[in-house]
Amino acid sequence: MSEDAILRLKQTVLFKKLREKEKEESKETSFEDYEISQNIISVVRKAAPLLERVPENMPEFTLHNANHSVHVIENMDKIIPCETLKQLNTIEISILIYAAYLHDIGMISSSDERKQIVKTSEFKKHLTSNEELYRKLEEAKNNSDYEVVLAIENKAFTDFLRKNHVQRAHKIIDEYKLDSEISWKNIPYGNLVRAVCDSHELPVKALYNTKSWPNDTVVLNKLVNVQYLAVIFRLADILDVDPERTPRHLFYYINPKDEVSIKEWKKHLSITGFQITPEKIKIVANCKHPEQERTLRKFIKEIDKEIEDSYRLVSSYRDNLEDKYILKLSEPVDAEIHSIGYEYCDFRFELDYRRVLDLLMGEGLYRNPIVALRELLQNSVDAVRYRESLEKREGNGYKPSIEVSLRNNELIIEDNGIGMDEKIFKNYFMRVGRSYYQSPEFRQKNVDVDPVSEFGIGILSVFMVADKFTVESRRKTFEEEFNPSEPIYFEIPTAYDYFIRKQSNRSKYGTKITLYLKPNHPFSAETLVKTISEIAPFIEYQIEINTDKGKSKYEPLLPGEKIRSKNVVKEHFEVSFDDKKEGIEGKLYVVKPNFLKPTVLSIIAQRGFAIPSSEFPLGRLSYKAAIQASINISGQSKLSLSPSRSHVIMDEKYYEFIGKIEQNILEGLEKYLKTTNDSSSVEQYIEKVNELLEDEILSLSGSLLYKGLYYCEKSKNTLVKIFLNYVPLLTISDDGQRKYKTLKELDNITNLAITGANDLPEKITDAKILEETKSLIGPRTILLMQEEGEEERNSFLNEILGDSSEIYITSIPGVVIKTFYNTKKSDENIVFRKYNKFIQQIHIGSIGKAPIFVHPLGFYKAADTEVIYNASHPLFARLLNGGEPKMKLLKRQYIS
């Protein structure tokens, strides 16, 4: 590997020129001195194997091995005019060669070093600086998709090495002692090589700093123009587009996934011809896709810029430098690009800035002009939360303050939060669509703050209510305590015009925004407190209110604080949330509303600010019951909101949140039943249970929920288990007494039967009915009596036990019994089946003949002629004409 690299080096014109000059100098001194070239070979022998390791951390990068170094050396020979090359001394030529091999050496990293790098604050800062990549990483971690996590971390590490490889090159050079032999006659000059290497990631204008890149330094008696050498090296490096650097078979083998890598490889692969002379550069390319051509054209523009700036620098030389150090390359690249299968153009959508802003500020985004106050309060609360967290971390005392003033058609919102400096103002406040609290700069602070601001467009809403506004602010800095930031003051006349900057004498930290309101603005002194309470019900700070009516103080609610509603007829039970880790705090109240006035007041907020209850899809539990909410959502339970914050987006976060709400409601229901059962009489408990059944809170049919809250299949299982454990059923015991028992207590039965209430005029004892039942069905039969809530109870029985198996018409007039088989089921094996109205067997116990198959009354909706009755039984005798038995049927007669 090393010997191949050395062989290729020896074949380059620049190295041969170096040997020639060494030979000439040997003639002058009468002894052979090839120290410089031998030292170069020694360094290359060490560096070449290291460069082969670059793909270990950068598998998708175009090649940066020793072959790239040779290409750079060859390019330098082509760029340097002959008259200059003749005058360059051995030290200058050697610096160019050394730089070619050492400039990319910082791209290597051992596995152990990688482990250390990823733990550093610098790497974490780099990771969070890419907003999209960081978002994908967090999403993959939350989904436990470790393959994606690893891929993203690999990409981040690769990018970290690329961005820091110039600085890292110093470390690698020192670690492997690569510059220990960069010397001549015991005079080291590795620092000059490093200066040239350092230049290749900087703009050309940096080279004007002659302290770092001198143009007249010396090594012993040899003059060295480091500045010129850096110019030549940079041009040669950027011009390495030789196809060998991106061999096609390697492209398909590596199959890069990263978008930047793909563009870089395809850019190189599209080049079919390339020529460098001291006066001109020509590129010929065949592009098969416009994006490929666009990338190549962008690359050519970068080369043109490098040529222009480099030529300007070298052209500034005077006196002895002017004649020796020449750069003839001054013209832009001669590009011959063939578009295959398309016509190249640069057409794309252009935004009408004024029109787009009108749409953003109009009702298309914000329907209510009061949102202007909400957006400004959100900014103040975020700023105060941010500063409070930083002050706490520093161990400082801090008293948050937010004030809202309404006087003389001016609305002023002022806080003593973190404030803004000019940098924050320019980069975030002025940049519509960018929020500081969603930026890498904020994440790098590692501050325990859950900000409200997300989209960075809210400030535009102020133009719904104001003709203009002003911003005055001063930022509290913690990193540079002895270099405090200067205050800023800007007047924003419209959304379209330039800002007006003024001097500010503000001494306190925080921000003051003044809105100069339009004549038809929606704010008033009488309603300002109420408006703020509707906007920010659960923020943790008081707000001072100043109007021409006087001063007052807004006291926010606490999550869970009950909102009194006259439209609630009855409150069944409450459900508490106090899980800061989950991010849900407050209470839900399951209530029965007044259906003449069905609105039930609720407050659902996110990070303290209300989500309009009319838009939030959580309200009605069933047609007869509703949820009254006093909930604040934060942290990992945060929901996705529309940019206007007017409604919730029904994505995975939403359904996960609904699942948590549903689970807690069921847990609250079970707790309510257990507590009520333990503290009430049987009669009181039965009454409570019947209310829950009647209001469809304890119901399997309560899935017709209002805008999203519904009992899923998992919840149905939970409901059935609650029914098994807590809902009493009226049974007739073996001694003929009526007793309430749960299905859990009836676990050892063989058969279960159900009959109507025993309220016939001819009084028949329950014991007689039980006796008849056991004679028909079997001795180990439990008989249930139908009662209030019959339909709801039967729904659960059908789900738990399956559909009723048979109907028995007993010898007792008016008594019909339905049976359920396969009753012994464990909770874990409950199978849900829809209730099918199929033909059932009817047994006539008094006659004892084979049963007649009929459709029970009320179950069949077809024509009467298709319904077959056993007209001889006393039960049907009561139902048919005149209450007397008749043998005649409408279509056919059956006599049993």
Side-chain angles (χ1 to χ4, degrees), residues 5-18 40 44 51 65-80 85 93-103 232-240 276:
I6 292 168
L7 181 61
R8 289 199 62 172
L9 168 64
K10 290 180 176 180
Q11 294 171 348
T12 63
V13 173
L14 207 59
F15 187 80
K16 291 177 180 178
K17 180 64 68 175
L18 171 64
I40 289 175
V44 171
L51 290 172
N65 57 12
N67 289 342
H68 166 57
S69 302
V70 168
H71 293 158
V72 172
I73 294 169
E74 291 172 343
N75 288 346
M76 288 190 285
D77 171 63
K78 295 173 184 176
I79 294 168
I80 302 170
L85 186 56
I93 295 175
S94 71
I95 289 173
L96 290 174
I97 296 174
Y98 281 129
Y101 283 97
L102 298 180
H103 70 285
I232 298 300
F233 163 71
R234 289 163 54 88
L235 282 168
D237 185 46
I238 196 174
L239 288 171
D240 181 19
I276 301 176

Side-chain angles (χ1 to χ4, degrees), residues 754-757 759-762 764 772 776 786 807-818 841-847 852 854-858 868-886 896:
I754 186 168
T755 186
D759 56 358
L760 296 173
E762 306 87 353
I764 302 170
E772 178 80 3
L776 290 171
Q786 288 183 343
I807 295 179
Y808 287 83
I809 301 179
T810 70
S811 61
I812 305 170
V815 177
V816 177
I817 299 171
K818 290 196 296 184
Q841 292 187 39
I842 291 188
H843 295 262
I844 306 172
S846 59
I847 301 176
I852 294 178
V854 304
H855 292 282
L857 285 173
I868 303 171
Y869 299 108
N870 177 3
S872 66
H873 194 275
L875 171 63
F876 290 101
R878 289 170 176 258
L879 299 174
L880 298 177
N881 295 337
E884 296 295 331
K886 288 189 177 181
S896 55

Side-chain angles (χ1 to χ4, degrees), residues 24-140:
E24 291 173 3
E25 291 175 0
S26 297
K27 290 179 180 178
E28 295 174 4
T29 58
S30 301
F31 65 90
E32 290 189 358
D33 182 5
Y34 295 99
E35 179 187 356
I36 294 176
S37 59
Q38 291 302 318
N39 286 346
I40 289 175
I41 290 172
S42 180
V43 170
V44 171
R45 185 170 280 114
K46 295 177 183 177
L50 294 176
L51 290 172
E52 293 296 332
R53 288 171 46 191
V54 171
E56 292 175 6
N57 295 296
M58 300 183 166
E60 297 187 354
F61 265 48
T62 50
L63 299 184
H64 288 75
N65 57 12
N67 289 342
H68 166 57
S69 302
V70 168
H71 293 158
V72 172
I73 294 169
E74 291 172 343
N75 288 346
M76 288 190 285
D77 171 63
K78 295 173 184 176
I79 294 168
I80 302 170
C82 292
E83 52 268 44
T84 297
L85 186 56
K86 290 178 181 177
Q87 298 183 71
L88 292 182
N89 57 54
T90 53
I91 298 296
E92 290 176 316
I93 295 175
S94 71
I95 289 173
L96 290 174
I97 296 174
Y98 281 129
Y101 283 97
L102 298 180
H103 70 285
D104 284 334
I105 206 77
M107 290 187 182
I108 69 170
S109 170
S110 67
S111 58
D112 289 338
E113 186 184 9
R114 171 175 172 152
K115 292 176 183 178
Q116 296 302 318
I117 289 174
V118 298
K119 295 177 182 177
T120 62
S121 58
E122 289 81 6
F123 179 77
K124 292 176 181 176
K125 183 177 180 180
H126 167 76
L127 185 61
T128 56
S129 66
N130 187 325
E131 293 187 39
E132 184 178 358
L133 195 68
Y134 186 75
R135 178 184 59 78
K136 289 179 179 178
L137 177 64
E138 291 298 301
E139 185 178 304

Side-chain angles (χ1 to χ4, degrees), residues 732-737 758 764-774 783 812:
I732 302 176
S733 63
D734 290 340
D735 60 1
Q737 300 298 312
N758 184 5
I764 302 170
T765 64
D766 290 342
K768 176 62 177 173
I769 295 175
L770 180 60
E771 180 185 349
E772 178 80 3
T773 300
K774 289 188 175 184
L783 182 61
I812 305 170

Side-chain angles (χ1 to χ4, degrees), residues 162-376:
R162 182 185 65 79
K163 288 185 176 180
N164 294 279
H165 81 277
V166 175
Q167 296 80 7
R168 283 180 46 77
H170 292 263
K171 175 182 179 299
I172 303 299
I173 289 171
D174 290 339
E175 181 180 346
Y176 290 91
K177 300 180 180 179
L178 296 176
D179 62 348
S180 61
E181 297 179 69
I182 302 179
S183 63
W184 181 55
K185 300 185 183 302
N186 296 319
I187 301 297
Y189 58 96
N191 61 314
L192 304 183
V193 175
R194 293 190 190 210
V196 173
C197 290
D198 291 349
S199 73
H200 86 289
E201 286 290 313
L202 298 172
V204 173
K205 64 180 181 180
L207 300 181
Y208 284 90
N209 179 359
T210 53
K211 288 185 178 180
S212 299
W213 293 276
N215 54 26
D216 59 354
T217 190
V218 291
V219 176
L220 284 181
N221 62 341
K222 295 186 183 296
L223 180 69
V224 178
N225 187 341
V226 179
Q227 186 183 63
Y228 179 80
L229 299 178
V231 166
I232 298 300
F233 163 71
R234 289 163 54 88
L235 282 168
D237 185 46
I238 196 174
L239 288 171
D240 181 19
V241 293
D242 192 288
E244 185 182 2
R245 193 180 181 201
T246 52
R248 191 173 298 272
H249 74 277
L250 261 186
F251 173 77
Y252 293 113
Y253 172 75
I254 293 173
N255 188 22
K257 303 294 189 302
D258 178 64
E259 185 178 344
V260 175
S261 296
I262 291 172
K263 288 182 178 180
E264 188 70 16
W265 280 79
K266 287 188 174 180
K267 173 188 73 180
H268 285 265
L269 288 172
S270 67
I271 296 173
T272 59
F274 188 73
Q275 185 182 56
I276 301 176
T277 68
E279 295 83 13
K280 183 179 179 182
I281 296 170
K282 183 176 180 64
I283 294 178
V284 180
N286 294 330
C287 296
K288 298 180 180 179
H289 192 277
E291 192 59 34
Q292 184 179 348
E293 181 171 343
R294 190 166 288 109
T295 303
L296 179 59
R297 288 183 181 275
K298 181 181 177 182
F299 173 60
I300 291 172
K301 281 186 177 181
E302 291 175 2
I303 297 175
D304 289 342
K305 174 67 173 169
E306 184 74 20
I307 291 172
E308 179 184 355
D309 292 346
S310 299
Y311 183 78
R312 184 180 292 113
L313 172 59
V314 176
S315 296
S316 67
Y317 287 164
R318 296 293 180 266
D319 302 328
N320 60 325
L321 294 179
E322 181 180 10
D323 296 330
K324 181 178 180 181
Y325 300 103
I326 302 169
L327 182 66
K328 295 181 179 179
L329 199 58
S330 61
E331 297 298 320
V333 172
D334 179 8
E336 181 184 322
I337 303 175
H338 305 285
S339 307
I340 300 175
Y342 64 93
E343 292 184 12
Y344 183 76
C345 68
D346 273 325
F347 296 162
R348 64 176 179 178
F349 286 114
E350 298 290 340
L351 295 181
D352 184 330
Y353 182 69
R354 184 180 293 263
R355 177 61 178 155
V356 169
L357 285 181
D358 285 340
L359 290 172
L360 284 174
M361 291 184 295
E363 292 188 0
L365 180 62
Y366 297 111
R367 301 176 185 176
N368 189 337
I370 289 176
V371 300
L373 176 56
R374 182 196 69 198
E375 295 294 336
L376 295 177

